[in-house]
Amino acid sequence: SRDDVMFETSGGTDNRKHATSTYDKIISRATPEGREQINERKTYYDNGTVLLKTEKKLVPADGSKPKVETSERVIPVSEDSN
């Protein structure tokens, strides 16, 4: 059956869990400081966890260098809200 297909993984990935789906959301809004863009990527795993990666980018209104903040955390799927 198709379920027996093995996927090649590279590096030190955890072979006990497999990604079942990903969900991308991009929020863009104007703030008094400048334009803010938030990229959110959720990766759902078959062990009931969700990897939540967030990248926040602020392009200042004064034309200075953009500020980028990234964060990554794992939450149980029960705490996830789309």
Side-chain angles (χ1 to χ4, degrees), residues 16-63:
R16 287 169 299 193
K17 64 181 182 184
H18 296 281
T20 56
S21 64
T22 56
Y23 171 81
D24 288 290
K25 182 164 78 176
I26 298 174
I27 302 161
S28 189
R29 62 179 176 227
T31 67
E33 296 83 39
R35 176 152 292 282
E36 187 177 61
Q37 183 173 306
I38 301 166
N39 295 342
E40 197 176 85
R41 166 165 276 198
K42 293 177 181 178
T43 305
Y44 293 86
Y45 292 97
D46 59 6
N47 67 352
T49 61
V50 182
L51 174 64
L52 182 59
K53 279 187 183 179
T54 307
E55 183 185 274
K56 219 185 248 190
K57 182 179 183 181
L58 177 68
V59 180
D62 64 9

Side-chain angles (χ1 to χ4, degrees), residues 2 12-13 22 24 43 55 63 72 75 80:
R2 285 180 165 283
T13 55
T22 56
D24 288 290
T43 305
E55 183 185 274
E72 200 172 292
I75 59 169
D80 173 55

